[in-house]
């Protein structure tokens, strides 16, 4: 596989790429001044996902800006995944066939006011997710109860239908 494959061109300045792990670690950087601090617990959690299934059942999507003037790529969403991939490469030999997807937004020059504002607004849009609260999570016991109830009702319906067929 090539290091970087253009998958789609959404507009003149937005592209979707499939990139391998090596390209991701070498060509993309997560040191934008408005990026959040790296949370090592999150990095370890993502690394464990990579190890758990050898990245066979995952498809990570990250977002970056490509500064046309400096020819640099900065991660806007995915810096923890970036660190997890670095850790994965450092600790594993099987990474040649691993890849992820990168949506890349081109800007003219991060040091110009207009481009900087565009990058900052994009960062805010990409990173506005709120964490799930415990009450947002599905309750396993409730799901199990619903499954049992559905089975019971299906069995009850079959019993009623059979009763009706026999005695009518």
């Amino acid at each position: 596989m090539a290091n970087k494959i253009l998958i789609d061109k959404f507009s003149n300045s937005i592209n979707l790429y499939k990139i391998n792990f090596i390209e991701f670690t070498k060509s993309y950087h997560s040191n934008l001044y408005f990026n959040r601090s790296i949370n090592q617990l999150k990095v370890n959690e993502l690394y464990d996902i990579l190890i758990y299934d050898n990245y066979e059942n995952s498809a990570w999507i990250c977002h970056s800006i490509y500064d046309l003037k400096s020819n640099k790529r900065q991660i806007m969403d995915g810096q923890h995944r970036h660190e997890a991939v670095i850790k994965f490469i450092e600790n594993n030999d099987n990474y040649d066939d691993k890849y992820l997807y990168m949506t890349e937004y081109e800007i003219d020059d991060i040091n110009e006011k207009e481009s900087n504002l565009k990058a900052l607004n994009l960062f805010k849009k990409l990173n506005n997710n709120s964490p799930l609260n415990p009450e947002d999570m599905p309750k396993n016991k409730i799901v199990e109860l619903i499954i049992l109830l559905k089975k019971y009702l299906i069995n009850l319906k079959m019993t009623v239908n059979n009763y009706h067929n026999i005695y009518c």
Side-chain angles (χ1 to χ4, degrees):
M1 180 186 93
N3 291 343
K4 185 175 180 179
I5 300 168
L6 178 65
I7 301 293
D8 200 355
K9 193 164 187 62
F10 297 114
S11 71
N12 288 336
S13 62
I14 304 172
N15 300 309
L16 176 65
Y17 294 98
K18 179 179 179 179
I19 59 175
N20 70 13
F21 277 12
I22 294 294
E23 177 73 15
F24 183 48
T25 60
K26 290 185 177 181
S27 298
Y28 292 83
H29 307 281
S30 63
N31 59 352
L32 270 174
Y33 62 90
F34 45 77
N35 269 346
R36 300 178 202 163
S37 299
I38 297 293
N39 177 333
Q40 198 57 46
L41 291 174
K42 185 63 176 174
V43 171
N44 292 340
E45 175 188 323
L46 293 167
Y47 174 77
D48 289 344
I49 290 170
L50 291 174
I51 294 298
Y52 174 72
D53 68 357
N54 197 28
Y55 197 65
E56 296 295 324
N57 298 307
S58 304
W60 285 355
I61 300 172
C62 298
H63 299 266
S64 67
I65 56 171
Y66 173 52
D67 186 333
L68 296 169
K69 184 174 183 185
S70 69
N71 196 30
K72 289 186 179 178
R73 290 170 169 82
Q74 302 285 333
I75 298 168
M76 303 200 73
D77 177 46
Q79 66 183 22
H80 290 91
R81 284 163 275 177
H82 186 259
E83 295 299 314
V85 167
I86 290 171
K87 185 175 179 179
F88 184 81
I89 289 171
E90 290 172 349
N91 294 296
N92 297 279
D93 295 329
N94 184 19
Y95 53 79
D96 291 335
D97 62 341
K98 308 297 184 226
Y99 60 90
L100 53 81
Y101 296 94
M102 177 67 72
T103 304
E104 196 170 271
Y105 304 84
E106 294 177 359
I107 61 169
D108 294 325
D109 180 3
I110 192 73
N111 296 314
E112 289 181 355
K113 184 178 180 179
E114 187 177 314
S115 291
N116 195 311
L117 187 58
K118 180 180 176 181
L120 186 56
N121 286 335
L122 181 59
F123 176 82
K124 288 176 183 176
K125 287 177 187 174
L126 293 172
N127 290 282
N128 70 352
N129 295 332
S130 58
L132 288 173
N133 295 317
E135 61 270 7
D136 296 330
M137 299 298 290
K139 306 290 187 269
N140 285 344
K141 291 293 179 193
I142 293 173
V143 171
E144 290 171 8
L145 180 62
I146 291 170
I147 291 169
L148 286 172
L149 190 57
K150 283 175 64 177
K151 284 181 182 177
Y152 173 77
L153 291 174
I154 289 170
N155 286 336
L156 181 64
K157 182 178 177 183
M158 287 174 44
T159 303
V160 168
N161 284 343
N162 287 341
Y163 178 81
H164 181 73
N165 290 338
I166 292 171
Y167 295 103
C168 291

